[in-house]
Amino acid sequence: MRGKDIIFRLALRSIRLHFLRSTLAVLGIVIGVVAIATMGMMGANMTLSVTEQLSEMGNVLVVTESREGGGGGMSGPGGPGGGSDDDDFIPEEQFKDIERIASKYGTVYALYSESDTIEVGAEERRATIYGLDQDVIPEILTLSSGAFPKSTSSVIIGPSLAGRLDLTLGSKIDIGDPDEGATTTVRVVGIIEERGMSMDLNTDSAIIGSEKLFTGIYGGEGEYRQVNIILDDINEAGNVSDEIEEQLNKKEDQVSVQDSSRMLENITETLGTMTTFVMAIAGISLLVAAVSIFNVMMMSVTERIREIGILRSIGTQKGEVRKMFIHESAILGGLGAVIGAVASLTIGWVVVLAMVGSTDYFFTPSSLIYVPFGMAIGFITCVLSGVYPAWSASNLDPIEALRAE
Amino acid sequence: MDDQPLIELRDVTKVYPLKSGDVTALDSISLSIQKGDFVAIMGPSGSGKSTLLNQLGCLDRPTSGDLLIAGRNTREMDDHELTGLRLNTIGYIFQKFNLIPLLSAYENVEYPYLMKHRQEDENGHISRLLSKVGIDAALAQHKPPELSGGQQQRVAIARALVNDPQILLCDEPTGNLDSVTGRQIMEMIRTLNEQGRTVLMVTHDPTVAACAKRNVIIKDGRIT
């Protein structure tokens, strides 16, 4: 035994001699650390993943027809089923007004959309069909293959739709339900790059064609489902939104402007709250571990009352007895934290892959920070749960302690 | 011998407050012990001799009165200082040996040495001490439960001596030993006294008390 660390060695020896009990206490801490770190990492990965997806459309303002007093709020912009109400449109004049106000801030375009039955060979599906200005399409969409549509019979499609229906360049799609009337056959000329979920356009499972193609099938020329504004500067979102509402909703609410940056903020905030909540639940396991450590330490004190009495009677200071027990819980906490950290990286990786579907953000600082965070919480919990037993051991009356059997 | 006593008790009273009423274990005890003295404290069970030894060993504090050790009043000392006194000035030998069962004999003796010196014994002091009390190197590696009562008490004596204390307190040192081993232990304690250590020993055995230079009889908490 070295003089300097005799107290530490005594603590280590006690842990070694009560191996099973100590192992169980360490296991408790490991579980706690893994729970905290894994849940934290999962939340961080989820937030990062969703934020990444959403921030791609963070600079978009969506203007839709206001349904003042109509009940049910606005129709879901851009998404499938978004155009179920035929009266719900922005007329040409309003689009011109919006364009006049917002064009100096970025790209303004209007779109038609409809959810309809499509047929490829013998397979029938429903899909969203967008009608956009032919000149605007190359500005807002990127193709992974093929070319942009140049005629009223050519369309570009989203990668998910292409994958599901085995569509390639040159494939033919029949739009419309054959049982309800004539169908229109269009040819795929391009496949759009994956864009993910978006507020303005959900193109991954959609068909995009020219305005003429759309109005040719569904009519309603000049009756747009929504107007999208892609801002050059995201910080202008509030200004543009206010300006449009101020000018168009002067007399009555005609349009409603959705600011995606606000939505992004809300979603991030919600995810943050969820992460905190899940981590709080994980914290319960750490609390259980703390109780287990406390129990181990109290048992250790009870079993060693006589030993403490001997140590005190031969000149061991109260502080040194206290230190011995604190060391013991610190060693257990340290072991638990280190093993927990290693386990967190392994288990966390699997959990993130299973729950988030991607580990792209796993090794980012904002995700990995939860490992040292979990370790610190585990270690501190462990040391704290050793404080009272240590205090009670050091305050034992040496005479009483010597009498203990 | 110095004029100033090494240990001095002035009207020391120890009262244990109990629900059934206060118990006076020591009642105004005054006693002076000079350096190099060998005092046997005798008395029947419950007379207060162990309480007296606990006061002298600074394991307990008197309810009233003063206890002076090496000229210092223990009443004015805090727990830290009293513990320091137990480490450096007082060696305690118990009836039940009170060795730490999980440490080897060597480690038991080494423990207070390390607590005092904060470094390992590089001069073989502990081994020599153990050898002097009859514990060889092989035996020193054994844990207390693997040793006989006599061997354990020898280890306890080595532990009490390791920091070279001025005062040796013995609480029934032969109480748990057979008569032959008891005699050997007493011989050892007498030698230690002859070498200059002040010894205070609690016993109820007159033959053991006969080894002392002075006997103090205590009854009902009073010196008779």
Side-chain angles (χ1 to χ4, degrees):
Chain A
M1 283 190 283
R2 298 224 163 256
K4 272 183 273 181
D5 59 7
I6 182 171
I7 301 290
F8 182 80
R9 293 288 297 269
L10 280 170
L12 205 62
R13 186 209 62 199
S14 165
I15 290 172
R16 210 177 48 232
L17 288 169
H18 303 109
F19 185 73
L20 182 65
R21 204 175 62 191
S22 305
T23 306
L24 289 173
V26 168
L27 193 65
I29 289 295
V30 169
I31 293 170
V33 171
V34 168
I36 293 249
T38 304
M39 292 303 132
M41 284 193 288
M42 195 185 80
N45 278 266
M46 208 177 268
T47 308
L48 286 169
S49 174
V50 172
T51 308
E52 171 75 13
Q53 279 181 27
L54 292 177
S55 60
E56 279 170 13
M57 53 145 191
N59 58 340
V60 175
L61 285 183
V62 174
V63 186
T64 48
E65 163 76 1
S66 175
R67 303 173 78 196
E68 198 184 24
M74 281 175 29
S75 60
S84 56
D85 186 345
D86 285 344
D87 297 333
D88 189 16
F89 63 85
I90 291 192
E92 183 76 28
E93 314 86 67
Q94 273 180 12
F95 168 55
K96 295 287 174 206
D97 287 340
I98 295 166
E99 201 173 29
R100 182 175 46 76
I101 298 163
S103 59
K104 58 178 175 288
Y105 296 107
T107 311
V108 183
Y109 67 96
L111 62 91
Y112 298 97
S113 79
E114 197 67 60
S115 176
D116 202 356
T117 307
I118 59 164
E119 204 178 292
V120 178
E123 203 168 344
E124 253 185 42
R125 284 277 175 120
R126 281 193 80 80
T128 305
I129 294 107
Y130 287 112
L132 270 87
D133 185 340
Q134 246 172 296
D135 299 334
V136 169
I137 296 175
E139 273 184 56
I140 56 170
L141 297 175
T142 316
L143 298 181
S144 61
S145 63
F148 290 103
K150 291 208 166 68
S151 69
T152 52
S153 62
S154 57
V155 292
I156 51 175
I157 58 168
S160 305
L161 188 71
R164 271 203 302 272
L165 295 172
D166 268 343
L167 294 167
T168 53
L169 299 179
S171 298
K172 288 189 173 157
I173 305 170
D174 290 328
I175 301 174
D177 191 342
D179 300 337
E180 290 177 7
T183 59
T184 307
T185 304
V186 291
R187 201 165 55 87
V188 177
V189 294
I191 312 281
I192 307 161
E193 254 186 22
E194 191 175 333
R195 288 180 88 225
M197 196 181 78
S198 176
M199 198 171 88
D200 53 346
L201 274 175
N202 282 329
T203 55
D204 287 356
S205 297
I207 299 170
I208 288 104
S210 64
E211 288 181 326
K212 270 190 190 161
L213 167 72
F214 189 94
T215 50
I217 302 170
Y218 303 107
E221 197 173 337
E223 296 174 356
Y224 300 107
R225 185 67 62 206
Q226 69 186 56
V227 175
N228 294 338
I229 303 157
I230 302 167
L231 297 165
D232 296 334
D233 181 2
I234 192 166
N235 298 318
E236 296 288 356
N239 291 343
V240 182
S241 171
D242 290 348
E243 218 172 304
I244 292 170
E245 282 184 338
E246 200 176 294
Q247 294 200 26
L248 272 73
N249 295 343
K250 221 180 274 175
K251 289 177 189 164
E252 55 171 335
D253 272 2
Q254 295 193 79
V255 294
S256 164
V257 186
Q258 274 191 311
D259 179 351
S260 60
S261 64
R262 225 173 284 162
M263 192 174 89
L264 181 67
E265 248 170 54
N266 288 341
I267 291 174
T268 313
E269 205 174 292
T270 311
L271 280 172
T273 313
M274 267 173 61
T275 307
T276 314
F277 176 70
V278 172
M279 276 175 69
I281 294 173
I284 293 171
S285 62
L286 206 64
L287 194 70
V288 174
V291 173
S292 146
I293 297 276
F294 183 83
N295 191 30
V296 165
M297 298 308 296
M298 280 314 283
M299 275 170 70
S300 186
V301 171
T302 313
E303 277 178 10
R304 285 155 67 190
I305 287 181
R306 190 173 165 81
E307 185 182 321
I308 294 162
I310 297 168
L311 295 179
R312 291 281 289 132
S313 69
I314 61 174
T316 309
Q317 296 288 356
K318 273 183 178 183
E320 285 163 334
V321 172
R322 210 160 34 230
K323 220 186 280 175
M324 194 161 72
F325 282 89
I326 293 281
H327 274 320
E328 205 173 311
S329 57
I331 294 167
L332 293 178
L335 271 173
V338 170
I339 299 171
V342 176
S344 299
L345 288 173
T346 322
I347 297 170
W349 198 85
V350 175
V351 169
V352 166
L353 186 66
M355 302 296 286
V356 184
S358 144
T359 52
D360 290 353
Y361 305 101
F362 189 79
F363 291 105
T364 56
S366 51
S367 162
L368 288 181
I369 190 79
Y370 285 98
V371 176
F373 177 72
M375 283 175 84
I377 297 272
F379 182 74
I380 292 167
T381 309
C382 202
V383 172
L384 283 182
S385 49
V387 168
Y388 175 75
W391 177 84
S392 74
S394 68
N395 281 304
L396 282 171
D397 176 2
I399 298 170
E400 289 296 320
L402 280 171
R403 279 195 200 122
E405 287 301 330
Chain B
M1 211 179 279
D2 292 344
D3 286 344
Q4 192 189 31
L6 182 62
I7 302 168
E8 191 177 4
L9 292 102
R10 295 178 188 156
D11 285 328
V12 167
T13 298
K14 180 68 189 178
V15 179
Y16 292 108
L18 297 176
K19 277 181 188 170
S20 50
D22 291 354
V23 172
T24 306
L26 296 176
D27 191 359
S28 295
I29 291 214
S30 294
L31 182 67
S32 286
I33 294 153
Q34 298 295 329
K35 191 171 179 232
D37 216 344
F38 187 171
V39 181
I41 302 164
M42 291 189 72
S45 277
S47 57
K49 34 185 212 302
S50 288
T51 307
L52 179 60
L53 205 66
N54 287 339
Q55 309 298 315
L56 295 167
C58 300
L59 289 172
D60 202 0
R61 285 172 188 271
T63 310
S64 66
D66 295 311
L67 166 63
L68 285 83
I69 294 176
R72 288 197 65 191
N73 194 336
T74 56
R75 187 169 289 283
E76 290 157 7
M77 295 163 88
D78 61 14
D79 184 77
H80 193 270
E81 285 173 300
L82 290 175
T83 308
L85 211 58
R86 290 202 292 272
L87 182 67
N88 302 309
T89 313
I90 301 166
Y92 221 121
I93 300 167
F94 302 90
Q95 181 182 358
K96 290 181 183 169
F97 326 127
N98 280 346
L99 298 172
I100 299 173
L102 302 172
L103 297 181
S104 68
Y106 183 90
E107 286 171 331
N108 263 286
V109 181
E110 189 188 28
Y111 182 84
Y113 180 90
L114 291 172
M115 295 306 284
K116 180 177 179 176
H117 299 278
R118 298 281 153 180
Q119 61 174 29
E120 262 179 295
D121 169 33
E122 283 159 359
N123 305 320
H125 171 64
I126 296 164
S127 299
R128 274 200 305 278
L129 194 59
L130 277 163
S131 163
K132 234 186 246 181
V133 296
I135 302 291
D136 60 30
L139 218 49
Q141 297 312 314
H142 286 268
K143 300 235 163 69
E146 297 159 5
L147 302 174
S148 70
Q151 287 166 334
Q152 287 192 57
Q153 195 61 300
R154 285 164 198 270
V155 175
I157 291 172
R159 182 182 65 185
L161 296 174
V162 75
N163 286 337
D164 198 17
Q166 292 180 64
I167 303 162
L168 208 53
L169 301 178
C170 314
D171 188 2
E172 305 268 14
T174 59
N176 272 19
L177 304 174
D178 62 71
S179 57
V180 177
T181 317
R183 270 200 299 279
Q184 288 171 351
I185 295 294
M186 278 319 298
E187 196 52 46
M188 208 177 279
I189 292 172
R190 191 155 59 186
T191 310
L192 289 167
N193 172 246
E194 281 163 5
Q195 286 166 353
R197 283 195 177 78
T198 309
V199 179
L200 275 101
M201 177 175 66
V202 159
T203 183
H204 62 267
D205 185 345
T207 49
V208 170
C211 299
K213 290 176 183 168
R214 184 152 72 105
N215 285 1
V216 171
I217 314 293
I218 187 165
K219 197 178 175 192
D220 296 332
R222 286 171 175 272
I223 292 174
T224 56

